[in-house]
Each structure stands twice: as C-alpha cells, then as structure tokens.
Amino acid sequence: MADQSLKVDELRQLSDDQLGERLVELKKEQFNLRFQDATGQLQSTARVRQVRRAVARIKTLQNQRKASAKKEG
C-alpha cells in the first residue's frame, strides 16, 4: 500500500465515502498481513502496527463526524 503512515490532517480532508474506502483497503491489508504472519511469510512486522493504528484513526474520525452530525441535527 502506498500510504506508509496516514496523517490525521490528511484523513480529515477526505470525505466520508473516501474514509470508508480507505478503511476497507486497510482491513484487507490487515487480513493479508495476519495471513502472512500465520504462514511465516511476513516481512515487515512493523506494518501490522501501522495498519492497526491507521484503522483506529479512521474509525475515530468517523465516530467524531457521526457525533457532531447527531449533535447538530
């Protein structure tokens, strides 16, 4: 995947749909990394942590947006 480290500022600029797409991509990558780890083919163990944290960042932003929309409406 191209984004080695996702910055929060970059993620805030994305739309809700784009965040959802990015989340799906990261979840697929996370699955593949777990599979590689299980089969002993994992090259970069640090990438597992990066992906996990990127997923958390996206979910946090989605929840913040949802809470602010609920508060406004």
Side-chain angles (χ1 to χ4, degrees), residues 27-41:
K27 288 286 199 172
K28 286 180 184 178
E29 183 178 358
Q30 190 176 37
F31 174 80
N32 288 332
L33 289 171
R34 282 197 315 261
F35 191 84
Q36 289 174 9
D37 186 32
T39 59
Q41 298 174 353

Side-chain angles (χ1 to χ4, degrees), residues 5-69:
S5 64
L6 296 172
K7 305 281 188 226
V8 176
D9 294 333
E10 296 170 3
L11 291 175
R12 286 186 200 277
Q13 296 173 0
L14 299 178
S15 70
D16 291 339
D17 292 335
Q18 290 172 325
L19 276 178
E21 290 173 9
R22 185 70 58 94
L23 183 63
V24 169
E25 291 172 9
L26 287 169
K27 288 286 199 172
K28 286 180 184 178
E29 183 178 358
Q30 190 176 37
F31 174 80
N32 288 332
L33 289 171
R34 282 197 315 261
F35 191 84
Q36 289 174 9
D37 186 32
T39 59
Q41 298 174 353
L42 185 61
Q43 297 292 322
S44 174
T45 57
R47 187 65 186 146
V48 175
R49 182 178 183 181
Q50 290 172 344
V51 170
R52 186 176 70 239
R53 289 185 175 191
V55 168
R57 283 187 190 103
I58 290 174
K59 286 186 172 186
T60 299
L61 282 173
Q62 287 177 330
N63 286 331
Q64 287 174 346
R65 289 180 182 183
K66 191 181 296 183
S68 68

